[in-house]
Amino acid sequence: PKDSSGPHSADSIKIKKEVANAFVKRQKRSTLYERYFEYYKSPMEQMHERCENYPPCDYLSDQIGFAMAYNRFFG
């Protein structure tokens, strides 16, 4: 029988936090209200995300403002 206090005990097994997080995702605690707004975003929030995900629009929004940048690329 193997001795648990040997060189391969559970204490000797270590992994980085980032690696562990790739395997184990904690369930985020949120209310029903928060979950609703996570799935059903406002049209304005969807527009902001669309612009942020398109680098030219995101860059231009820093220069001239979100509304003008969004209208230039998607309006």
Side-chain angles (χ1 to χ4, degrees):
K2 293 192 174 192
D3 186 5
S4 64
S5 64
H8 296 294
S9 69
D11 291 337
S12 69
I13 300 172
K14 304 248 189 262
I15 58 173
K16 290 184 180 178
K17 188 176 184 179
E18 296 80 20
V19 175
N21 286 339
F23 293 103
V24 180
K25 295 288 183 189
R26 274 193 354 210
Q27 183 66 33
K28 185 168 70 170
R29 291 183 194 154
S30 60
T31 65
L32 185 62
Y33 179 81
E34 290 170 331
R35 275 185 261 143
Y36 173 82
F37 282 102
E38 192 174 309
Y39 290 109
Y40 302 100
K41 295 177 181 171
S42 72
M44 183 58 80
E45 189 172 353
Q46 291 174 359
M47 290 167 62
H48 272 277
E49 287 183 355
R50 186 175 183 195
C51 187
E52 288 170 357
N53 290 332
Y54 185 59
C57 183
D58 189 35
Y59 175 78
L60 194 60
S61 72
D62 290 339
Q63 309 301 314
I64 63 174
F66 165 75
M68 292 176 67
Y70 186 88
N71 285 335
R72 179 163 182 184
F73 290 101
F74 304 109

